[in-house]
Structure formats: structure tokens, C-alpha cells
Amino acid sequence: MEQIVDYKNDPGNGYTNSLLCFMQLFIVSNESNTYYFANNNKEHFAFDADERFLPVYQFSDKDNKKITHLHDFSEAVLRKCALGELISKYMVLVASEQKMMIMRPYQIYAVKAIMDCIEQNRGNGYIWHTTGSGKTLTSFKASTLLKDNHKIVKCLFVVDRKDLDRQTREEFNKFQEGCVEENTNTETLVKRLVSEDYRDKVIVTTIQKLGLALDEDNKRSKEKKKKGELTYKDRLAPLKDSRIAIIFDECHRSQFGENHKAIKNFFPKAQLFGFTGTPIFEENATYKQVDGTIGSYTTTKDIFEKELHAYTITHAIDDRNVLRFHIDYFKPENDRDASKINEEQQKKAVVQTILSKHDTITNNRRYNAILATSSINDAIEYYNLFKEAQQNFIDADDSEFMPLNIACVFSPPAEGNKDVQQIQEDLPQEKEDNKKEPDKKKQALTSIIKDYNEQYGTSHDINNFDVYYQDVQQRIKDQKYTNADYPHKNKIDITIVVDMLLTGFDSKYLNTLYVDKNLKYHGLIQAFSRTNRILNDTKPYGNILDFRSQSDEVDKAIALFSGENNSNRAKEIWLVDPAPKVVEKLDKAVSELEKFMESQGLECRPEEVNNLKGDTARCEFINKFKEVQRLKTQLEQYTEIEEKDAEKIEELLPEDILRAFRGAYIDVAQRLKSEQGKENEDKNPEVEQLDFEFVLFSSAIIDYDYIMRLIAKYTQTEPKKQKMSKEQLIGMLSATSNLLDEREDIIEYIDSLQVGVALDEKEIKAGYQKFREQKNNQEINIIAKKHGIEIQSLQSFIQEIIDRMIFDGEKLGDLLAPLDLSWRERTQKELDLMADLIPLLKKLADGREIVGLNAYE
């Protein structure tokens, strides 16, 4: 990493310095000459829209071409006006989370394009920003900047579903507390539209509510006319000729219908802006309807006139803002002709394939999946087949089998329910399916919800379907919690759907889509994109397991949505390398590790890592082995690896050698991490810049309960019959970063157990908790004596922090008040005390974040 300019200590750059000094910024570049900001500790001062640290933020021009020359970078970013605008307009302070977010370049260009279009009154336009690229933040910024534009009377952000209305409001209010309120009904919407209150200038609503307000033929409007009262449309008449900005989210969906026409007709001076990840072009404007006839969409360009800015999925994958796809096309076993297999046999084969591959493809259930089916009947059949198949494993008393938690969601027959009718506006298959044998569909869904209630202890029913649907979505997102914080029994492993969740639904912990449904063009891209949100290196790509061999449709979709000038190389950007190529990369990475160890005069063996001399060599080892582990993690999630490749992987790194290297890595990483951030003259810049990526060395299986279970088995088994020795148990624990803060305590506890005394899991857990409390109390006593603080006061101080998970600096001052120190002495005492307390507090927090503690780290 090279430092280019230090704007904190450069007195010759006064204006820029005055803007940036409070951030203490450096401009730095990496090996590929990508420029970004960091502070004087090479830490990162801001997050982007996906809450990732800023080094992934790359400066690009409006055509998404990366800026790699320092002169061009300075001209584009560091000019007084440009830098001032970046800080004043395109950063978001999220007070509730104590962090600053910065918009990515393509988001800034999109907002500028909308603002220029309005300023010059140049009609309508659309923004083509791929799914997962942060359209909500872009639209939020556009909306809030328009709030201060006096030429615009109102700014409406329009979504096409009730759940997206709720989701958008929550996101907007996270960016700026209280900036939009809920429109519980059309009456509330109309009141806000005619209100002159500044707080009502930006409104988030559904297109259905807006359409209802403009419809004179609906039941409520007719009743008002009979009574001689003003209809909604009459009350909105004063706005008819006003300049209004209307921003449509995912403008390829319902907005192309009658509601959209009504809005355009009533507000002739409105400027319409559409956001879409998958525009409608001539090529994908026609489609086969459920009844077999050919339907057609109006193209995005026909409605919104012109493209204002484009950031395609090709750009996003290339910039690592979304993941690539790993697509497997399923073939029946033994290469049997699929046409000779009946539909039920095919579905059973799909279920068996999913059961056999799910743990691999989801990194041992660290992530979850969606199964997309072609009809409600198919969804019901799959649900029942999963129940049957899993029950067979349970009846067979298979001790290795752990049942998957399967949920199923599809809309019920509407039967006049307005919420269901609204949901079904964008669910054509489900809407049509429910017309045939609706009672059977209701009965099946009632049974599915009953199973769901038994599994999760809920009390949902089909009459409140929307509440059930919301709960399913939340449980999919709850995958983000560890099993220790939120047990697996509360989570969903696979959700079976027809149309639902395949557009607009986001969860970073969903990494797999199983497909038994015909998809094409924008529908295919939207569905695939549920899996490719960036998280960390344990999620290297979005997994697609296609049971309909739709490779031709995938190729067509890639060609259409890759954007201009990208189609030639799009496929290699979108799709991951085949397994043999990744094995080659692993071979090279292992070879690089071997060369490095030999250059240090050491054999490439785990036990030799401790003999590395100096932090520079240790840093090199961290980087070399981290690449080995990253590639190994990728290969572990491939569902189809040929035998020769599997043998090659084992030959390169046998499992016991890999585990030992992982343990060595964690030891070295912990040692170097303890050195980071320390203020001393000889601190190593290479150590400061290291990212240890401990998540690569974590395990979805080896959690607290798993370890306690193994310890119990270890005590209950005669030494000769033990499947795992004490040394192997400790070795396994040392090779994972899951219980990093507790590892030494657990190892000490294992060593303290009396040989020959059998204990069950409950006794092991109780014994460990008692052991841990005693050790923590000893540590607190030592810290209290060292700093001259009363033991009881320190215990109460620590307990309050852990209870609230908030560190209060004022309470620290109160703790030290009895020492009667001068201001200077107290400041130093705080620093010394916190240096001892932080490791203990982190251990007691069990991986949870203590708000406010990072100020003392």
C-alpha cells in the first residue's frame, strides 16, 4: 500500500485540508492504482452502502471506467468544489449506528443526472443500476436533495408492493431519522400530498394507494360523490399542474399498468424517474402468459424516454460490489434419459439431490436457500416430498442426519382480501393457479402454516397471510445470527416458493437458489440475484442449482443485461471458474507458500511456522496462507468436483495438515493483531495494514454447543474406544476462529477434567460456566488491585456494560473518581485501565458488539 498524499499534514493545501482535517485523511492507492481514503492509522473512516469498509470504494468516471492515474484522480475528486460536494452532499451520517456512509461513484452520477434533468426540466429518465448495487441509498439521496429544491412541490418515491413500502421507509429512516412516515391508508396519503408542511415534501407510498387516490370509479369515490363530498382526486386538483418528481422503484413491474397511465394523465407536469436493475428492451418485451397466450411489456425507454445512467451487473461484479454466480445444471443419476423419468420421480430425485448437497453448497448451513417451483401444486408436492424424505432418514435412526427446516410460502386465493389482491398483482402464476381448485390450495397452505407454527412456536393463520409472509422473510434474514445467539431450530434452511421472494427480497445470508421453474431474461436475472449479495469470503459466489438445464436462457440473459461494450467478456465476469481451474489456483497458492517457507530456511510444515523470525515474515505467512484458505473455502462449496480434482486437493493439503496450518495461522494472527494500533516508534506498517479475515477460519458447525457435546462424549468413553483424543479435540478447537476469545479457557477446562469421570452435556456446560466465572473473577481481582480500584466497584462497572452492551465513558470517570487524580493523571489511568479491560470485555461479550468500546481501542 502506497501513501500518495497526506492531507492532514500538508499545509500548502489549505482549503482541502480544512475540509478533511477532522477526518485525518490520507489518499492512498493499492497495487492496481485504485485510489481511496484512509485515516492516519490506515483505518477506514467510512462505510459504503453495504456497510463495507471504504477500500472497496473505487473512484470511477461516469462511464464506470476506473480512475488509475493520479492526475485524473486529483482532477475528478480533489478539486475544491468536487471534494466539498462529496462531503456535503454525498455522505450520510447514520447517527443511530455511529458511522458515516459514502456513496459510490455510480450512485453519485445517478443522483446528479436526476438533479440536472429536473434543474433543466428535460423530461423523464431511468437509472439502470443492477440489483444489489444500493438503489435505496441512491433514491434516498435523490429524494432528500429534491426536498430542498424550491422548483419541486413534492417528491414521491413509489414502490409496487406493501412489503417494499415498509422496507423502503425503514431504510430511509435509518439514513435520516424521521424523514418519512407511514401512509397507513389512502386518506393519509392524500392528506400528505396536499400538505404544505416541509416534513411532507418527500413521501414513500405504493403505486396502488396512489392509483386509488386518482381513481374516480372505485367504490369509495362513488360513495363520496353520492354524499356530495370531495373525492380524493378532487382534493388533489390543486397539485394537478404543479411540478412533482416521482421516482419509481423497480420500474419494470406494475408501473407499466393502468396506475402508471393514471398518474401521468393527472400530473402532466410531473417528471418521472425509474430505477431498475433489469430494464425492458425489445428483446425481452414479449413473454408467454400463464394461459399460453403471448403478452407484451412496454419498454422502459418508451415510458421513461431516456437512460440517465447505467451500472450493470457486469460492472458490479467486476467492481466486487456483487458476487459472481456458480451455476450447476443437474442431470439425473446414471445419465438416464430425463424424458423417461416421470414427473414424480424427477421431483424425488431433485429432493434427494438437494438433501445430499445442501450442507456443502451452504457452507454447512451458514447460509440458506430458496427453491423456485413452477406452480402452487408443484410447491405443495415438493413440501410434502421433503417431509417424507426427511422422515425416512429419522425413522432409519440415522445419527448423522440433521433435518433441514423447510418453509413454504405462496399466496392463498384472494377471495376479496385486499392485502392478498395487492400481493398477487406481481405474482401472475400464483394468481392464475388460485383460480383452479382454490379450496385445495387453501387446505394445503393451512396445513403448511400449521407445521410452521409447530416448528417455530408461532400462531399464524391463513386469514392473516401477510403477517405469516413477513415472518418467513424475517426468519430467512435471521440466518445472520450464530446458532449460539439464535438456535438453528428458529431458522429456515430452505424456503419453497412459486413467484414470491424472487424479486425485491434481499438477505446477505441467502446464497443458494434451487431452480425447478422456467426462467428467462429479466425474471432469470432477478431470481439469480437473490443469491449474490456481498458478505465476506465464506460466501465467494451465489450458487444456482438448475434442474431444468436452462444454459441457453442463461447465456441470452447475460448477453442482454451485460450492457454495451461488455457482451464479449460478460460470461467470464459473471460466472465462476470451473473447479479444475480453481484447483490450479490452489496448487499455485500452496506452491507460493512452500517457496516462502523455504526462503526463510524452513520446511513447509505447520510446526515450523513458530520459527519464523520477525513480523515482516509473519505478515508474509498470513497473506500466503490466507490465499490458500480462501481458495479451499471456494472449492468446499462446489457441488460437483471430479474424483481426480478431489484427489489433487487432498494431495496438496491433507486435512490434518490443513487443520494444523489453520491453528498456526490463528496463533500468528492473534499475536500480530495485538500489535495493531499501538503507539510506539518501531511499529511495523505491514502489521498495521493486515486484514486477518478470521471469518475464513470460522466454522458453521464448531460452535459452543458442538464443543460442549464433544467434551461430554470424551469424558464418557473409554480411552481405547474414543473416536477423538484430547489432543485432536484441542487441535480442532485451535483450527477455528469461532471461539477465539474463549479458546484458552476451554483448553484449560478440558485439561482440568478428571480422567475417568463421565459427565453429560448439561454437567459439562455447568462446569465450564463455573470454571469461566472463577477465572473471570480472578482476572477482575488482578485488574482491580493493579489499578487501585475497589473490586466490587469494578465488578459492578463491568456487569452493567455486559447487561446493556454499551460502554459509557462517564461511568468510567465515576469509577476512577475515588482515586482523586489530576486531569492528566486520570487520562493516563483511563488508558492503562482500558488496555487491561478491553480483552476481558470482549471475551465476556461472546462476539457481540459493545457500542462505544471502539473509541478506546
Side-chain angles (χ1 to χ4, degrees):
M1 195 71 67
E2 178 188 3
Q3 177 182 323
I4 306 298
V5 186
D6 179 350
Y7 278 99
K8 180 190 176 190
N9 299 314
D10 179 9
N13 198 22
Y15 180 81
T16 305
N17 188 38
S18 68
L19 285 172
L20 298 181
C21 66
F22 79 99
M23 297 176 186
Q24 299 184 333
L25 291 187
F26 290 88
I27 308 299
V28 298
S29 79
N30 63 15
E31 293 78 1
S32 59
N33 290 327
T34 299
Y35 299 98
Y36 58 83
F37 292 132
N39 69 15
N40 62 347
N41 288 323
K42 298 296 182 292
E43 295 164 342
H44 316 111
F45 81 95
F47 295 82
D48 67 5
D50 274 339
E51 303 181 5
R52 290 183 289 148
F53 285 125
L54 202 56
V56 296
Y57 180 99
Q58 300 169 334
F59 291 104
S60 307
D61 64 19
K62 65 180 180 180
D63 296 318
N64 305 303
K65 184 179 178 182
K66 295 180 183 66
I67 296 174
T68 57
H69 193 281
L70 182 56
H71 179 272
D72 297 333
F73 167 79
S74 302
E75 179 66 22
V77 180
L78 301 181
R79 286 181 296 108
K80 293 179 182 179
C81 292
L83 194 57
E85 192 176 54
L86 177 70
I87 292 170
S88 62
K89 288 186 177 181
Y90 302 114
M91 289 185 180
V92 180
L93 296 169
V94 186
S96 61
E97 298 179 21
Q98 296 187 335
K99 68 182 169 193
M100 184 177 353
M101 296 171 67
I102 184 169
M103 296 181 75
R104 298 171 186 157
Y106 61 85
Q107 293 173 314
I108 294 171
Y109 295 127
V111 172
K112 284 182 176 180
I114 292 173
M115 300 302 291
D116 290 345
C117 202
I118 285 175
E119 194 64 34
Q120 298 163 23
N121 201 7
R122 287 191 289 108
N124 309 326
Y126 70 92
I127 303 295
W128 176 10
H129 280 190
T130 190
T131 304
S133 62
K135 293 194 294 293
T136 303
L137 177 61
T138 310
S139 53
F140 163 77
K141 258 304 170 185
S143 302
T144 51
L145 289 175
L146 286 173
K147 196 171 185 176
D148 294 322
N149 188 320
H150 300 296
K151 296 178 181 179
I152 297 297
V153 175
K154 292 284 177 182
C155 176
L156 274 65
F157 187 78
V158 182
V159 297
D160 70 343
R161 295 208 308 261
K162 187 177 178 181
D163 57 323
L164 293 180
D165 180 19
R166 180 177 55 251
Q167 182 178 304
T168 303
R169 276 188 289 102
E170 288 172 356
E171 287 293 311
F172 273 34
N173 286 324
K174 185 183 85 170
F175 299 144
Q176 183 180 323
E177 191 175 345
C179 69
V180 290
E181 295 183 37
E182 181 181 6
N183 297 306
T184 51
N185 51 44
T186 307
E187 174 65 30
T188 310
L189 171 63
V190 171
K191 283 181 179 178
R192 289 213 171 95
L193 280 169
V194 298
S195 167
E196 295 182 1
D197 193 323
Y198 178 74
R199 291 174 299 179
D200 292 327
K201 188 167 181 179
V202 174
I203 299 171
V204 176
T205 186
T206 64
I207 195 167
Q208 291 83 4
K209 284 196 185 86
L210 190 55
L212 191 63
L214 301 177
D215 182 9
E216 288 185 308
D217 296 325
N218 65 64
K219 184 179 177 182
R220 186 165 297 181
S221 292
K222 288 178 179 178
E223 288 175 356
K224 285 182 178 291
K225 283 181 181 178
K226 281 184 181 180
K227 295 176 182 178
E229 298 175 359
L230 293 175
T231 64
Y232 292 141
K233 194 171 181 178
D234 294 334
R235 289 162 60 187
L236 292 174
L239 288 174
K240 187 172 176 65
D241 293 319
S242 300
R243 282 194 67 187
I244 293 176
I246 305 179
I247 300 174
F248 294 96
D249 182 42
E250 290 300 350
C251 62
H252 65 284
R253 296 205 289 259
S254 303
Q255 287 86 332
F256 291 100
E258 293 302 315
N259 285 331
H260 184 271
K261 291 177 186 176
I263 292 166
K264 284 187 73 174
N265 291 336
F266 187 80
F267 297 111
K269 293 186 178 180
Q271 286 182 264
L272 311 181
F273 301 97
F275 276 85
T276 181
T278 48
I280 301 298
F281 301 109
E282 293 291 344
E283 293 89 335
N284 62 318
T286 59
Y287 62 98
K288 188 175 182 179
Q289 298 186 110
V290 177
D291 61 7
T293 60
I294 300 299
S296 64
Y297 297 109
T298 307
T299 66
T300 308
K301 190 173 182 180
D302 285 342
I303 284 192
F304 293 98
E305 298 174 3
K306 54 188 171 291
E307 179 189 289
L308 297 179
H309 192 260
Y311 184 77
T312 69
I313 191 170
T314 310
H315 296 126
I317 291 173
D318 203 32
D319 290 347
R320 299 183 184 180
N321 285 328
V322 296
L323 298 171
R324 296 196 290 171
F325 298 111
H326 177 214
I327 306 175
D328 270 342
Y329 300 103
F330 170 78
K331 296 182 181 65
E333 289 183 14
N334 304 322
D335 293 324
R336 291 180 296 172
D337 185 351
S339 64
K340 295 178 182 177
I341 302 176
N342 67 38
E343 199 171 317
E344 184 182 358
Q345 288 175 322
Q346 176 71 6
K347 285 187 173 66
K348 285 183 176 179
V350 168
V351 168
Q352 290 303 322
T353 299
I354 291 174
L355 289 175
S356 66
K357 295 180 182 294
H358 184 81
D359 284 358
T360 297
I361 207 169
T362 59
N363 199 346
N364 292 308
R365 309 190 193 187
R366 187 190 296 265
Y367 303 101
N368 48 25
I370 285 174
L371 167 58
T373 64
S374 61
S375 68
I376 290 178
N377 284 340
D378 279 359
I380 295 167
E381 188 175 356
Y382 266 120
Y383 181 80
N384 290 327
L385 285 172
F386 270 107
K387 279 182 71 173
E388 180 185 325
Q390 296 206 114
Q391 190 60 49
N392 289 340
F393 279 109
I394 294 168
D395 292 343
D397 200 22
D398 186 344
S399 60
E400 298 296 317
F401 179 70
M402 182 178 172
L404 294 169
N405 294 337
I406 309 289
C408 181
V409 62
F410 53 83
S411 58
E415 298 177 339
N417 186 311
K418 290 182 180 179
D419 281 340
V420 174
Q421 286 175 342
Q422 182 180 322
I423 288 170
Q424 287 183 347
E425 284 187 22
D426 202 42
L427 308 173
Q429 183 68 52
E430 295 182 22
K431 188 175 182 179
E432 191 67 25
D433 284 353
N434 274 309
K435 293 176 182 177
K436 300 171 187 174
E437 300 183 308
D439 289 340
K440 283 188 177 180
K441 308 288 194 309
K442 282 180 68 175
Q443 186 179 357
L445 185 57
T446 300
S447 177
I448 288 167
I449 294 174
K450 182 174 180 288
D451 289 348
Y452 187 93
N453 288 336
E454 289 175 2
Q455 169 70 33
Y456 301 111
T458 51
S459 54
H460 300 300
D461 62 75
I462 198 168
N463 297 320
N464 294 284
F465 174 79
D466 191 46
V467 180
Y468 166 66
Y469 182 36
Q470 288 178 43
D471 193 60
V472 170
Q473 292 179 74
Q474 188 56 51
R475 285 187 192 278
I476 296 172
K477 294 181 178 183
D478 285 343
Q479 191 75 15
K480 65 185 178 182
Y481 300 114
T482 65
N483 288 340
D485 291 333
Y486 195 67
H488 174 260
K489 66 179 182 179
N490 297 316
K491 300 175 182 177
I492 296 174
D493 293 309
I494 299 174
T495 307
I496 302 171
V497 303
V498 182
D499 290 328
M500 294 182 131
L501 301 178
L502 298 181
T503 59
F505 177 73
D506 285 342
S507 172
K508 293 180 182 179
Y509 283 81
L510 194 157
N511 82 329
T512 299
L513 178 70
Y514 301 117
V515 182
D516 190 12
K517 176 187 181 78
N518 291 336
L519 296 170
K520 60 191 298 185
Y521 289 126
H522 52 280
L524 183 147
I525 299 301
Q526 286 285 340
F528 282 21
S529 295
R530 299 312 103 208
T531 69
N532 74 337
R533 298 299 182 272
I534 291 276
L535 183 65
N536 55 48
D537 281 328
T538 65
K539 185 185 179 184
Y541 35 72
N543 290 303
I544 312 296
L545 193 53
D546 177 27
F547 296 100
R548 296 213 171 187
S549 301
Q550 301 178 88
S551 58
D552 288 344
E553 295 302 333
V554 169
D555 291 346
K556 288 177 187 176
I558 290 174
L560 183 60
F561 292 107
S562 59
E564 293 181 21
N565 306 319
N566 288 318
S567 56
N568 291 335
R569 56 188 292 261
K571 198 168 180 180
E572 67 181 67
I573 293 173
W574 285 44
L575 306 181
V576 300
D577 295 327
K581 195 165 183 180
V582 183
V583 173
E584 286 179 20
K585 291 180 179 179
L586 179 65
D587 190 357
K588 184 178 178 182
V590 172
S591 178
E592 289 292 322
L593 178 64
E594 289 171 348
K595 287 178 185 175
F596 161 70
M597 293 295 286
E598 288 167 7
S599 74
Q600 303 298 306
L602 301 169
E603 291 184 54
C604 191
R605 300 205 313 265
E607 60 268 26
E608 292 286 7
V609 174
N610 286 329
N611 294 321
L612 289 170
K613 299 292 189 289
D615 284 347
T616 298
R618 295 185 187 98
C619 289
E620 187 73 8
F621 167 75
I622 290 292
N623 288 325
K624 296 290 186 191
F625 186 70
K626 187 168 62 175
E627 181 62 18
V628 171
Q629 182 60 39
R630 180 181 288 109
L631 292 166
K632 188 71 166 59
T633 300
Q634 289 181 23
L635 285 167
E636 284 169 354
Q637 292 177 49
Y638 275 68
T639 55
E640 298 291 343
I641 294 183
E642 292 184 10
E643 190 175 338
K644 63 177 182 178
D645 290 325
E647 290 173 357
K648 178 69 174 176
I649 295 168
E650 180 63 21
E651 179 188 327
L652 285 170
L653 271 178
E655 194 59 38
D656 56 338
I657 301 295
L658 177 65
R659 189 183 300 116
F661 262 121
R662 286 163 58 100
Y665 176 98
I666 290 171
D667 286 340
V668 173
Q670 282 186 295
R671 174 175 175 174
L672 294 176
K673 195 173 191 308
S674 67
E675 297 297 316
Q676 287 184 330
K678 287 187 177 179
E679 293 297 330
N680 51 54
E681 294 179 2
D682 59 342
K683 74 176 180 180
N684 189 332
E686 292 182 51
V687 174
E688 296 300 310
Q689 292 168 12
L690 277 178
D691 182 355
F692 299 104
E693 297 187 61
F694 283 119
V695 70
L696 270 174
F697 299 83
S698 63
S699 167
I701 296 175
I702 305 173
D703 58 11
Y704 173 80
D705 289 335
Y706 182 81
I707 289 295
M708 293 297 120
R709 227 170 10 250
L710 283 183
I711 296 173
K713 284 183 180 178
Y714 163 73
T715 65
Q716 293 166 9
T717 312
E718 295 177 22
K720 290 182 180 179
K721 296 181 180 180
Q722 284 175 352
K723 292 182 179 179
M724 183 177 287
S725 67
K726 181 172 77 172
E727 290 72 23
Q728 288 174 319
L729 180 57
I730 291 172
M732 183 181 65
L733 183 61
S734 300
T736 178
S737 61
N738 288 48
L739 300 162
L740 213 52
D741 295 326
E742 289 188 66
R743 188 174 66 165
E744 289 183 13
D745 287 353
I746 295 174
I747 291 172
E748 281 186 41
Y749 176 61
I750 293 170
D751 285 334
S752 73
L753 293 173
Q754 192 173 341
V755 179
V757 178
L759 300 171
D760 61 25
E761 188 178 339
K762 187 177 180 181
E763 290 170 322
I764 287 289
K765 284 184 176 180
Y768 174 64
Q769 287 305 318
K770 185 177 179 182
F771 173 87
R772 195 179 175 204
E773 285 171 13
Q774 289 174 346
K775 189 171 181 186
N776 289 338
N777 287 334
Q778 288 173 3
E779 198 168 338
I780 291 170
N781 292 348
I782 291 169
I783 293 172
K785 289 177 182 177
K786 177 179 177 181
H787 296 281
I789 302 168
E790 284 191 12
I791 293 173
Q792 187 61 46
S793 298
L794 184 57
Q795 284 176 333
S796 300
F797 173 72
I798 291 171
Q799 191 60 50
E800 185 176 352
I801 293 170
I802 298 304
D803 289 343
R804 298 175 62 211
M805 294 307 292
I806 296 173
F807 185 89
D808 189 339
E810 291 185 11
K811 295 287 178 69
L812 178 62
D814 295 342
L815 179 69
L816 297 175
L819 301 182
D820 197 24
L821 302 172
S822 67
W823 177 84
R824 187 182 297 274
E825 289 171 332
R826 192 184 70 184
T827 301
Q828 187 59 49
K829 175 63 78 173
E830 283 184 4
L831 294 173
D832 293 342
L833 176 59
M834 290 308 298
D836 290 333
L837 273 183
I838 285 173
L840 176 61
L841 289 171
K842 284 190 168 185
K843 185 166 69 171
L844 293 172
D846 284 329
R848 294 171 296 166
E849 181 187 3
I850 299 176
V851 177
L853 187 63
N854 59 354
Y856 288 87
E857 290 190 79

